Amino acid sequence: FSQLQHSTCISFCRICVITLAEAHPLLQSGKTIKSINYQISANCSRLQNKVSGKSKRGAQFLTELAPLCRISSSDGEEYTIYSCIRGRLIEVNENILSNPALLQEKPSTEGYIAVVLPKFEESKSITQGLLTQKEYEEVLLKR
């Protein structure tokens, strides 16, 4: 349930694009984004993800609760954005590092956070478990 507050997965032909959820405080409160950091820990940076070939060798494997990045706002708040699905990290959006406003101005297009590819055998159950836009809006109304 808290994942709804932070990230949304949009699925296209098994590829999942991770974006900020419409209800995320950064999109609702008019806060200014100060920085985005893909350095998850001392030993793990999502920027070090190097993918090659048809089988996506070298891609970092993510669980549903794997952090993708941390976003800091100008008021000192920090938000950790999680993968919300299991799969291989295909790419992170480096454009938001130099232009963080894209996260707020175009969150579901140029302001995406990452692209994740679920395992083929898990992709159907993952996408079936995602909320439709209408279901998502109903959950928000119940809050």
Side-chain angles (χ1 to χ4, degrees):
F1 199 84
S2 64
Q3 295 302 323
L4 288 173
Q5 182 178 335
H6 295 290
S7 61
T8 302
C9 174
I10 304 167
S11 179
F12 303 99
C13 301
R14 219 179 112 217
I15 299 273
C16 294
V17 180
I18 310 300
T19 66
L20 282 182
E22 284 179 31
H24 194 283
L26 287 167
L27 299 181
Q28 295 298 313
S29 64
K31 294 182 178 192
T32 303
I33 296 173
K34 181 179 164 187
S35 66
I36 300 158
N37 191 350
Y38 283 111
Q39 184 77 38
I40 301 308
S41 68
N43 298 324
C44 180
S45 171
R46 301 300 181 208
L47 292 173
Q48 298 300 316
N49 190 59
K50 301 295 180 214
V51 180
S52 66
K54 188 176 175 182
S55 63
K56 309 300 180 211
R57 279 186 295 275
Q60 295 174 10
F61 186 77
L62 305 171
T63 64
E64 298 91 330
L65 299 176
L68 288 171
C69 67
R70 290 190 175 81
I71 303 172
S72 298
S73 64
S74 55
D75 66 358
E77 289 285 327
E78 184 176 89
Y79 303 91
T80 300
I81 306 302
Y82 298 93
S83 171
C84 74
I85 61 163
R86 287 170 40 92
R88 293 181 182 272
L89 180 62
I90 302 303
E91 71 175 66
V92 294
N93 185 2
E94 294 185 39
N95 294 330
I96 61 175
L97 295 173
S98 58
N99 189 0
L102 284 173
L103 276 173
Q104 293 165 310
E105 294 167 4
K106 299 179 180 184
S108 59
T109 57
E110 291 135 71
Y112 73 96
I113 296 167
V115 177
V116 177
L117 180 66
K119 286 184 177 180
F120 182 77
E121 58 274 8
E122 294 178 8
S123 63
K124 188 173 183 179
S125 64
I126 288 171
T127 54
Q128 286 176 340
L130 297 175
L131 298 177
T132 64
Q133 182 66 30
K134 184 179 178 184
E135 291 169 333
Y136 173 74
E137 289 168 1
E138 289 171 0
V139 169
L140 292 179
L141 287 173
K142 291 177 184 176
R143 283 186 171 179

